[in-house]
């Protein structure tokens, strides 16, 4: 079981102090948050992708590469990578490079995002969002697994004899999560390829997320990747923790009330009762998170949102201390005791390499020589078969 935190990279006015951080302050702060996550014993840090104010993370691979250089154990990931408006060729290249630079300590979550104007900014039509997502991943999947790709689809120019470089580390594609809150076609695609499925599990009741997770598990088994219990599931969550329950409520309320995605609707108490949001003491957050296992069964990754809505850096770092020292150790122990031996382990690069090669050495692609035209020919690698 992996535990981590994610950020959507918002830059929001602190409703208590009235201050809005600069982009530079927020970027510097997110580095401190990621490093702190490793220090307190968490496994994963993920960043969202946005291309407009008031967000800063327009280049997730650049940010995550730097974080991987600042850490030793932390897995870096995304929440999410926009599979619709990014060219799948560039995703293949950029995330393979991140995989090399992090020595395999990475994966990525693919999604369509929630910012409608991003589609025309990148030359796409939002009305084609779902077909774009499905076709782009179908191509991305091949780019990471085939040295030479011939491809033709609806949404980008054809590829003839194309090789994505660098090849994935150890010739093993990065692990992919498909994220969705409402679309069964995305869960179907995740199951078809045997990839992970991630339910954001923040704004909706658990019963809503459970329907798609159950569907994904059923289809995962249908496609022959293993039993339903062996499907790979990740969940989001949102928590605010304080030593005393009432302090947590009092401290978090102004941020909840003014949050663009929460505020000016149901009260904090109503939202906490009706959704996975946890606000309270460490034990209360533990108890509510354990209800996720009651609903979904064994799952492989739990991610918490802890830094949005204008919360100052000092408060976020304190949240990480409480999460890493008082909440996650108990959750690890409790969930390990409940775990079915048949369930899949959490995805790692080492596990993927072992599954592909066993005890044999991993492939290390070596390009053929430049023919004089800056290409290596129709068979670009020395071990390519004729």
């Amino acid at each position: 079981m992996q535990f981590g935190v994610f950020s959507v990279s918002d830059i929001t006015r602190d409703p208590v102090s009235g201050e809005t951080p600069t982009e530079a302050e927020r970027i510097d702060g997110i580095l401190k948050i990621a490093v702190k996550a490793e220090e307190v014993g968490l496994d994963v840090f993920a960043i969202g992708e946005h291309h407009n104010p008031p967000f800063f993370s327009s280049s997730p691979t650049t940010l995550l590469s730097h974080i991987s250089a600042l850490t030793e154990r932390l897995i870096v990931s995304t929440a999410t990578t926009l599979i619709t408006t990014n060219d799948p060729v560039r995703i293949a290249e950029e995330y393979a490079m991140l995989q090399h630079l992090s020595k395999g300590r990475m994966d990525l979550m693919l999604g369509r995002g929630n910012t409608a104007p991003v589609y025309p900014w990148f030359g796409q039509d939002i009305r084609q969002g779902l077909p774009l997502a499905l076709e782009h991943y179908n191509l991305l999947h091949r780019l990471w697994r085939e040295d030479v790709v011939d491809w033709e689809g609806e949404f980008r120019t054809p590829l003839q004899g194309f090789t994505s470089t660098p090849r994935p580390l150890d010739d093993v594609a990065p692990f992919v999560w498909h994220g969705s809150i409402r679309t069964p076609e995305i869960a179907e695609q995740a199951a078809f390829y045997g990839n992970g499925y991630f339910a954001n599990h923040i704004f909706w009741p658990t019963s809503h997320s459970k329907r798609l997770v159950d569907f994904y598990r059923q289809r995962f088994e249908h496609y022959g990747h293993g039993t339903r219990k062996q499907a790979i599931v990740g969940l989001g969550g949102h928590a605010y923790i304080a030593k005393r329950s009432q302090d947590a409520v009092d401290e978090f309320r102004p941020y909840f009330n003014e949050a663009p995605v929460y505020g000016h609707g149901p009260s904090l108490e109503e939202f906490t009762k009706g959704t996975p949001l946890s606000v309270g003491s460490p034990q209360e957050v533990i108890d509510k998170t354990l209800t996720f296992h009651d609903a979904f069964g064994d799952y492989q990754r739990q991610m918490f949102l802890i830094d949005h809505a204008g919360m100052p850096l000092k408060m976020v770092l304190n949240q990480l201390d409480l999460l890493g020292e008082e909440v996650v150790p108990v959750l690890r122990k409790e969930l390990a005791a409940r775990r079915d031996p048949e369930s899949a382990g959490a995805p790692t690069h080492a596990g993927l390499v072992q599954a592909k090669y066993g005890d044999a050495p991993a492939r290390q692609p070596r390009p053929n020589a430049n023919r004089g035209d800056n290409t290596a020919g129709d068979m670009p690698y020395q071990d390519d078969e004729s």
Side-chain angles (χ1 to χ4, degrees):
M1 182 81 176
Q2 295 167 340
F3 293 90
V5 293
F6 71 97
S7 173
V8 297
S9 85
D10 63 307
I11 304 175
T12 304
R13 183 184 70 90
D14 181 340
V16 175
S17 71
E19 295 293 323
T20 301
T22 66
E23 291 177 335
E25 289 170 336
R26 191 72 168 94
I27 292 168
D28 184 62
I30 210 69
L31 299 178
K32 292 180 172 65
I33 290 168
V35 170
K36 182 73 167 183
E38 178 172 86
E39 289 176 356
V40 301
L42 301 185
D43 307 303
V44 186
F45 172 83
I47 191 72
E49 178 183 349
H50 288 274
H51 295 274
N52 57 283
F55 303 91
F56 67 81
S57 181
S58 59
S59 181
T61 53
T62 304
L63 178 66
L64 295 175
S65 293
H66 186 58
I67 290 171
S68 74
L70 297 175
T71 55
E72 297 180 356
R73 182 184 52 80
L74 193 71
I75 296 170
V76 294
S77 189
T78 57
T80 62
T81 297
L82 299 179
I83 188 61
T84 45
T85 50
N86 282 305
D87 183 351
V89 170
R90 292 300 295 140
I91 294 177
E93 295 174 335
E94 292 179 8
Y95 284 90
M97 180 64 78
L98 173 60
Q99 188 190 32
H100 279 270
L101 294 174
S102 66
K103 304 302 181 187
R105 290 188 291 117
M106 61 77 67
D107 54 35
L108 69 160
M109 187 200 312
L110 302 177
R112 289 178 287 165
N114 57 8
T115 307
V118 75
Y119 284 83
W121 294 340
F122 289 88
Q124 302 292 358
D125 183 342
I126 192 172
R127 293 170 295 184
Q128 298 297 322
L130 181 57
L132 273 165
L134 297 174
E135 180 179 293
H136 279 184
Y137 180 70
N138 290 337
L139 174 56
L140 177 62
H141 184 87
R142 290 185 59 193
L143 290 169
W144 276 333
R145 289 163 175 83
E146 301 174 30
D147 284 354
V148 181
V149 172
D150 295 318
W151 181 88
E152 185 171 351
E154 183 179 352
F155 298 111
R156 79 172 316 280
T157 53
L159 298 174
Q160 295 180 345
F162 180 77
T163 299
S164 176
T165 58
R167 303 306 298 148
L169 179 66
D170 299 316
D171 205 35
V172 171
F175 187 80
V176 169
W177 302 87
H178 298 255
S180 178
I181 60 173
R182 62 183 179 272
T183 310
E185 290 89 344
I186 298 299
E188 175 82 15
Q189 188 179 50
F192 177 80
Y193 285 110
N195 293 338
Y197 176 74
F198 192 94
N200 194 25
H201 199 227
I202 290 181
F203 305 115
W204 300 83
T206 292
S207 59
H208 173 88
S209 299
K210 187 177 185 300
R211 286 194 292 270
L212 277 180
V213 170
D214 288 348
F215 173 73
Y216 159 72
R217 290 187 187 275
Q218 173 192 347
R219 301 304 288 168
F220 183 94
E221 183 175 75
H222 168 80
Y223 287 118
H225 299 297
T227 67
R228 299 183 189 196
K229 293 179 181 178
Q230 293 169 325
I232 302 171
V233 173
L235 298 177
H238 186 193
Y240 186 86
I241 317 163
K243 293 284 188 178
R244 295 175 61 252
S245 177
Q246 191 57 50
D247 290 341
V249 172
D250 293 342
E251 292 166 11
F252 185 64
R253 188 182 300 280
Y255 298 95
F256 176 90
N257 287 345
E258 295 300 318
V261 294
Y262 289 144
H264 314 293
S267 70
L268 174 58
E269 288 76 10
E270 290 169 331
F271 206 90
T272 304
K273 182 178 179 179
T275 75
L277 174 64
S278 302
V279 180
S281 67
Q283 189 59 54
E284 287 174 309
V285 173
I286 290 165
D287 290 343
K288 187 154 190 179
T289 306
L290 289 175
T291 67
F292 302 170
H293 183 273
D294 296 338
F296 296 98
D298 290 341
Y299 61 109
Q300 285 66 38
R301 180 174 290 183
Q302 175 64 58
M303 300 291 287
F304 292 100
L305 175 64
I306 61 166
D307 79 323
H308 87 313
M311 290 173 57
L313 178 61
K314 182 178 179 181
M315 181 179 285
V316 176
L317 297 179
N318 181 61
Q319 288 296 293
L320 282 167
D321 280 330
L322 291 167
L323 190 64
E325 294 170 7
E326 300 198 30
V327 173
V328 168
V330 178
L331 288 174
R332 287 194 197 278
K333 182 178 179 180
E334 291 287 339
L335 292 172
R338 299 181 182 196
R339 194 161 198 83
D340 189 316
E342 187 182 336
S343 298
T348 64
H349 180 71
L352 296 174
V353 170
Q354 176 66 30
K356 180 172 182 177
Y357 297 104
D359 295 330
R363 182 193 183 209
Q364 304 298 334
R366 298 177 187 273
N368 284 316
N370 187 335
R371 302 184 309 178
D373 60 355
N374 285 336
T375 74
D378 295 336
M379 293 182 292
Y381 292 98
Q382 295 179 19
D383 59 352
D384 285 337
E385 296 179 359
S386 59

